[in-house]
């Protein structure tokens, strides 16, 4: 008997070992096709099934080969295919006999065992080959390669790695690749890299590393996870492409492509890219962005009247001037010639863009000096808004341009919104702001006082000071029309201080005149509430005027307190420690919970007007009011109802147990002298409007 083993390669069989068979036979079957009908081995390799030819002389697969069979002199050939773990045929294992014979069961098992061993041997050989090839790639690759174990300890580096980093293999082995870091990336960057690597088995990105000589260089880093046959990770392989050469030329190119040569500002291309990014961010954070397109007025005329260099000089001077007036986060660049684009992020509301335009125009007012000449420069500005006018970057620029042309046509040196109504609104707002500033300077304000009545006795407990703007032309202006703007511009702070002082002054005067007024209520704005020095301001005002703190009550709205969260308690406690009273104004509109309110040092709730208006017909309002009154009683606080307009409301509220009321039913807010008259005539106890009407009717 003799044994032969054939290596199956590319659908052909090559003799691997067949010591007992003659060379001429081995040579003849070397490279035999793996195909059904080609002897026992060819067929076994092709079908993956054992082929047992007991007698080759009468086996159909052997018919073509009988000549050579006779020369060798065998009669039986059993061939078994062997496979790798995926079931691919690697080769066949064949047994030859010189007589007709079929295998016994034990023999078959033994042969199968041999076939299995042969498979292992063949696989090992193939793996060795692959390894040798891999080693060659590893050694001679132009990319630096670094292999680490799962704990990120370096276990192998290649020649290119040593060339790129400047470290020898010995210096690198056993270390964590961290020693290559340049400090250019933060912790989050590496965390992110690891997170991705662990999740997907792969990471690619640009990384700045440091060479041994200290030089920092960019590289394209690709990290992959190596897994064993069962899919478990065993190593990480990092491939590094040195980008420093490419990078340098790319940066030069980038700058040329993205920046304007004359001014050094971003050019149209970069502006568009930047704008697009800002829009994406704005969309994510639900923010508003404004694009302001500035076009210099009559620049061509100016340019022609100067020599050419002076025109360039003027543009540079303009750029420098504007940059001084912009915030760091504003994005400013040159679109073309004398056209510039300013992109502003995080606008609180649309009209705020008008304020910025105004600011830019004001910055251009002082003349420029170019080539020894004074030059007055103005610009027309068009404004478009994201998302109001468009969500596309190109369209926003287009719309801003349209608006700019409009400005040019109507009034050079001004600005227009793409949406015309916004231009009007912004203009009105700005005029109002300017007038408000003037009014504060000239103290064009008065306080009106509205009595607060104890419901069961109809006694005047005190009053609320309500601010009015006394405009020489427009007469009295209601607070709702200017307080929001005063808040926004910060003008409320000086205004609020004036209100406080004026109200305290009035309260003291009345006390001295013998009016039994318990308390003067003053409204506080959100901005004042946030002001850290507020307690000091109040304390010094009270001390200067000589009003006992218990005579002052601050009305703070529920929403102000809620917005301020936990800090509100601290603020309220500081105010409370001055000895003044605190009232929660507009109560019922802010959804505060009883549990929350319990921790606040309050003296009273002031039920919002909106709940009183439809009393007693609106049953849900009735429910809300009874709840608030009940809450107040539970917490030991007073409850004041605002906006009491009818006798029915008055009676109804007193029945519900409400302590005090305020509203047109008792008296509207009155100027100081009228309030005094009202108080002394009524002797501190009011006669409601209806009664008074009856009296006068007599
Ligand atoms: P508020 O604190 O809720 O003031 C009550 C408002 O209701 C006053 O309007 C008052 O005139 C009005 N009112 C009084 N009785 C009735 C009534 O029976 N029916 C109706 N429909 N309304 C009545 P006013 O004076 O126009 O003030 C409006 C708001 O302006 C005030 O609401 C307050 O939030 C704010 N405000 C007024 N003065 C000041 C101030 O000095 N500083 C601050 N920060 N805000 C002020
Ligand atoms: Ca109030
Ligand atoms: Ca109120």
């Amino acid at each position: 008997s003799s044994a032969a083993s054939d290596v199956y390669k590319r659908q052909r069989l090559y003799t691997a070992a067949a010591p007992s068979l003659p060379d001429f036979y081995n040579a003849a079957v070397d490279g035999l096709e793996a195909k059904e009908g080609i002897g026992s081995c060819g067929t076994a390799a092709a079908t993956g099934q054992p082929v047992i030819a007991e007698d080759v002389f009468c086996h159909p697969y052997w018919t073509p080969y009988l000549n050579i069979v006779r020369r060798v002199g065998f009669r039986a050939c059993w061939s078994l295919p062997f496979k790798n773990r995926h079931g691919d045929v690697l080769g066949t294992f064949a047994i030859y006999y010189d007589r007709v014979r079929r295998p016994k069961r034990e023999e078959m098992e033994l042969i199968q065992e041999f076939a299995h061993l042969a498979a292992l041997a063949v696989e090992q050989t193939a793996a060795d080959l692959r390894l040798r090839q891999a080693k060659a790639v590893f050694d001679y690759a132009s990319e630096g390669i670094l292999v680490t174990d799962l704990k990120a300890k370096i276990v192998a580096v290649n020649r290119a790695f040593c060339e790129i980093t400047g470290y020898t293999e010995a210096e690198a082995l056993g270390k964590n690749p961290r020693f290559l870091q340049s400090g250019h990336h933060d912790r989050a960057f590496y965390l992110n890299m690891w997170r991705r690597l662990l999740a997907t088995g792969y990471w690619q990105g640009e990384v700045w590393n440091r060479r041994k000589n200290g030089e920092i260089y960019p590289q394209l880093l690709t990290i992959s996870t190596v897994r064993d046959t069962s899919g478990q990770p065993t190593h990480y392989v990092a491939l590094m492409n040195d980008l420093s050469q490419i990078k340098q030329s790319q940066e030069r190119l980038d700058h040329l492509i993205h920046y304007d040569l004359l001014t050094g500002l971003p050019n149209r291309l970069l502006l568009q890219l930047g704008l697009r990014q800002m829009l994406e961010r704005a969309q994510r954070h639900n923010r508003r962005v404004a694009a302001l397109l500035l076009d210099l007025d009559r620049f061509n005329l100016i340019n022609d009247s100067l020599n050419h260099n002076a025109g360039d000089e003027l543009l540079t001077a303009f750029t420098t001037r504007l940059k001084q007036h912009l915030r760091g986060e504003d994005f400013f660049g040159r679109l073309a010639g004398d056209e510039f684009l300013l992109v502003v992020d995080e606008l609180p509301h649309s009209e705020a863009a008008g304020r910025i335009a105004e600011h830019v125009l004001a910055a251009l007012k002082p003349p420029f000096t170019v080539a020894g000449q004074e030059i007055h420069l103005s610009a027309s500005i068009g404004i478009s808004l994201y998302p109001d006018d468009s969500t596309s970057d190109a369209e926003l620029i287009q719309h801003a341009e349209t608006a700019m042309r409009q400005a040019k046509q109507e009034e050079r040196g001004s600005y227009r919104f793409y949406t015309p109504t916004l231009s009007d609104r912004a203009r009105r707002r700005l005029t109002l702001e300017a007038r408000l500033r003037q009014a504060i300077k000239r103290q064009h304000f008065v306080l009106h006082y509205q009595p607060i009545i104890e419901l069961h006795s109809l006694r005047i407990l005190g009053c609320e000071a309500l601010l009015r703007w006394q405009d020489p032309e427009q007469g009295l202006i209601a607070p709702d029309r200017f307080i929001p703007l005063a808040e926004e511009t910060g003008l409320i702070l000086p205004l609020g201080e004036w209100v406080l002082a004026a109200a305290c002054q009035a309260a003291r005067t009345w006390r001295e005149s013998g009016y039994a007024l318990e308390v003067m209520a003053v409204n506080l704005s959100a901005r004042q509430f946030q002001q850290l020095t507020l307690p000091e301001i109040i304390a010094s005002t009270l001390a200067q005027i000589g009003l006992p703190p218990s005579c002052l009550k601050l009305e703070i709205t529920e929403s102000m307190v809620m917005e301020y969260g936990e800090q509100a308690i601290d603020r309220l406690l500081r105010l409370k420690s001055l000895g003044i009273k605190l009232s929660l104004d507009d109560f019922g509109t802010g959804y505060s919970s009883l549990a929350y309110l319990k921790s606040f040092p309050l003296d009273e709730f002031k039920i919002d007007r909106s709940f009183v208006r439809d009393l007693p017909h609106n049953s849900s309002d009735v429910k809300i009011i009874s709840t608030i009154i009940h809450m107040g009683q539970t917490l030991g606080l007073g409850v004041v109802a605002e906006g009491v307009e009818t006798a029915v409301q008055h009676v109804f509220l007193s029945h519900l147990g409400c302590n005090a009321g305020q509203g047109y039913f008792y008296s509207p807010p009155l100027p100081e002298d009228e309030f005094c008259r009202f108080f002394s005539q009524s002797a501190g106890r009011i006669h409601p409007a209806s009664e008074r009407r009856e009296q006068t009717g007599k």
Side-chain angles (χ1 to χ4, degrees), residues 436 467 478-488 492 495 525:
L436 192 59
L467 181 62
D480 292 335
R481 279 189 48 207
F482 62 86
I483 286 200
L485 185 69
E487 268 272 298
E488 193 186 306
I492 193 70
L495 196 52
S525 82

Side-chain angles (χ1 to χ4, degrees), residues 23 80 85 157 162 186 257 296 311 325 353 361 366 386 403 521 549 581 608 624 629 631 671 677-678 686:
D23 289 344
L80 265 80
R85 66 199 150 84
V157 295
C162 299
D186 55 7
I257 292 175
L296 303 183
H325 288 268
L361 294 177
Y386 167 94
K581 297 202 166 69
D608 191 64
I624 292 171
I629 292 171
M631 266 169 82
R677 220 173 306 141
F678 177 76
I686 68 111

Side-chain angles (χ1 to χ4, degrees), residues 417-535:
F417 281 90
Y418 178 68
T419 310
T421 51
L422 276 183
S423 299
D424 297 341
R425 283 228 304 267
R427 216 181 347 243
R428 272 206 302 275
R429 210 186 172 94
L430 276 163
T431 335
L432 188 66
E433 186 184 330
R435 279 176 48 218
L436 192 59
R437 271 179 211 283
Q438 280 294 322
I440 290 175
K441 216 180 282 168
R442 299 186 183 152
Q443 303 213 342
H444 282 169
F445 293 94
V446 285
L447 289 181
H448 283 189
Y449 302 93
Q450 188 174 31
I452 299 171
I453 312 299
E454 188 174 45
L455 292 189
H456 74 87
S457 64
L458 291 180
R459 196 164 58 91
I460 303 175
L461 292 174
C463 64
E464 176 178 4
L466 292 159
L467 181 62
R468 271 96 185 93
W469 173 358
Q470 202 161 37
D471 189 73
E473 282 156 34
Q474 300 190 9
L476 278 193
I477 302 174
D480 292 335
R481 279 189 48 207
F482 62 86
I483 286 200
L485 185 69
E487 268 272 298
E488 193 186 306
T489 51
L491 290 172
I492 193 70
L493 295 180
L495 196 52
E497 275 181 48
W498 178 85
V499 170
L500 186 72
C504 289
Q505 185 62 55
R508 204 204 70 181
T509 311
W510 295 338
R511 278 170 65 84
E512 279 172 357
S513 321
Y515 296 167
L517 271 184
E518 279 173 26
V519 74
M520 169 66 78
V522 173
N523 290 288
L524 205 64
S525 82
R527 192 90 168 228
Q528 287 174 284
F529 186 55
Q530 286 167 20
Q531 195 182 16
L532 279 168
T533 51
L534 182 70

Side-chain angles (χ1 to χ4, degrees), residues 223-244:
I223 310 178
S224 330
T225 311
V226 182
R227 296 172 195 279
D228 65 14
T229 49
S230 63
Q232 286 304 308
T234 61
H235 294 89
Y236 297 111
V237 176
L239 224 70
M240 22 175 74
N241 264 308
D242 193 340
L243 294 176
S244 40

